[in-house]
Amino acid sequence: MPNSNAKLHSNHRGGREASRRELVSRSLQSAQHCLENQDFGTAYAHYLLVLNLAPELKTTVKETFQFTLFKWAEELDSLARIQDLFNCYEQALELYPNDEVICNSMGEHLFRMGFRDEAAGYFHKAVKLNPDFADAKENFYRVANWLVERWHFIMLNDAKRNLTYLRAIENAVHSGSKSVLDIGTGTGILSMFAKKAGASFVYACELSKTMYELARDVVAANNMEREIKLLHLKSLDIEIPKHIPERVSLVVTETVDAGLFGEGIVESLIHAWEHLLLQPK
């Protein structure tokens, strides 16, 4: 009797596997037929079914799936079905989370719709996945030019200004301020000044996704990624101990013009003083 039950279970599993293979085969044929008739939406739905039933085919159908996705996305864009377009890309990225071509395409749609900060995030991810991906690099530099104002570069190249900041931070740290919060860190330069001055704990927040990613790269290039905690947050949203373990003893900021990123210099400094900064005794 046990052998008979085992045989029945084996036959049942074999039957289900045969049915799965048959459904996958028919869906692939249907997808191809839809592509030939330029019915990209239905073809896309068939490929979703195939990839969910047979993930082992991801590599095999990858290029055709990308083509179908992009064509269907173009149609959705022309019909102003924006939410459906984004849903398709989210589904695609669930199946291919590390596909630089899909990330770059998603970024292009976001950029055209005016979501430049979000677009920069996808372009940056695409470049990270494939540093030789020329289209993604060009797109990232293009959107960065929109998001990073020219005065930022001028200030970074102002040696006198940088030296003044460095000396002020060094004086504060050497006077006992061992924990530092950098509001609107930008490239992370003030945070790195604080760490080099000897601060034990350095936290930096940046609201702009583009500048946050840039700061991560700059900090990593200076081998400080384990010493400076970067937060993609508005300073008003920082909570203790959720984001930082305790109040800090020094706040540094250079939010000369906060309009672009919506940080709000006065609000930020008051918030930091009242909630994040150690009060003088």
Side-chain angles (χ1 to χ4, degrees):
M1 193 70 174
N3 289 336
S4 177
N5 287 336
K7 186 175 181 180
L8 285 173
H9 284 301
S10 177
N11 289 338
H12 183 62
R13 285 195 301 270
R16 283 190 302 179
E17 177 59 22
S19 297
R20 183 187 73 91
R21 288 198 300 266
E22 177 65 19
L23 181 55
V24 168
S25 177
R26 287 184 179 180
S27 293
L28 284 172
Q29 291 174 10
S30 297
Q32 189 60 42
H33 178 73
C34 289
L35 286 178
E36 291 170 359
N37 290 284
Q38 297 189 347
D39 182 0
F40 300 114
T42 307
Y44 176 76
H46 280 298
Y47 277 118
L48 282 183
L49 178 61
V50 168
L51 290 168
N52 278 287
L53 287 174
E56 68 273 12
L57 295 179
K58 281 184 179 181
T59 303
T60 305
V61 304
K62 180 178 177 179
E63 289 188 9
T64 310
F65 174 76
Q66 288 175 343
F67 172 81
T68 306
L69 167 66
F70 300 156
K71 286 295 186 180
W72 179 225
E74 287 177 9
E75 279 193 29
L76 292 173
D77 193 8
S78 67
L79 296 169
R81 291 171 56 183
I82 306 306
Q83 189 56 56
D84 289 336
L85 185 153
F86 287 150
N87 288 342
C88 286
Y89 273 96
E90 287 176 4
Q91 292 166 338
L93 286 169
E94 285 180 7
L95 292 166
Y96 296 96
N98 296 318
D99 188 290
E100 69 274 19
V101 178
I102 295 177
C103 286
N104 182 65
S105 181
M106 174 66 156
E108 289 175 338
H109 281 287
L110 287 165
F111 184 78
R112 283 196 295 271
M113 294 173 191
F115 300 106
R116 291 169 183 158
D117 206 22
E118 293 83 354
Y122 281 98
F123 293 146
H124 184 266
K125 182 178 179 180
V127 174
K128 282 287 189 181
L129 290 167
N130 182 2
D132 297 323
F133 190 4
D135 287 350
K137 286 196 291 187
E138 181 180 344
N139 284 333
F140 181 70
Y141 294 144
R142 180 160 55 104
V143 74
N145 284 332
W146 284 91
L147 294 172
V148 183
E149 289 195 344
R150 294 303 174 192
W151 56 260
H152 200 93
F153 297 107
I154 295 171
M155 289 193 300
L156 286 174
N157 287 285
D158 187 340
K160 183 178 179 180
R161 161 198 154 279
N162 291 338
L163 184 59
T164 301
Y165 267 106
L166 175 60
R167 287 174 176 168
I169 291 172
E170 285 178 340
N171 288 337
V173 172
H174 296 164
S175 297
S177 298
K178 295 300 182 181
S179 56
V180 180
L181 171 64
D182 179 7
I183 295 177
T185 191
T187 59
I189 188 171
L190 299 187
S191 295
M192 292 187 289
F193 282 170
K195 196 61 196 179
K196 288 181 178 178
S200 302
F201 305 100
V202 179
Y203 312 98
C205 65
E206 176 57 57
L207 181 59
S208 165
K209 178 67 172 176
T210 304
M211 295 307 299
Y212 167 75
E213 295 289 356
L214 179 60
R216 287 182 60 185
D217 288 345
V218 172
V219 168
N222 285 272
N223 298 315
M224 292 187 180
E225 64 269 32
R226 295 184 179 180
E227 300 174 318
I228 297 174
K229 182 176 181 180
L230 288 165
L231 303 167
H232 181 215
L233 285 173
K234 192 175 182 179
S235 65
L236 296 170
D237 295 330
I238 296 177
E239 298 178 17
I240 299 172
K242 181 179 179 180
H243 301 115
I244 62 177
E246 58 188 1
R247 293 186 177 189
V248 297
S249 51
L250 175 67
V251 169
V252 296
T253 188
E254 195 179 18
T255 43
V256 177
D257 184 333
L260 180 63
F261 302 136
E263 180 62 54
I265 185 169
V266 176
E267 279 186 310
S268 301
L269 292 177
I270 292 174
H271 174 76
W273 177 259
E274 292 180 344
H275 300 287
L276 305 174
L277 190 64
L278 287 171
Q279 300 297 315
K281 296 180 180 179

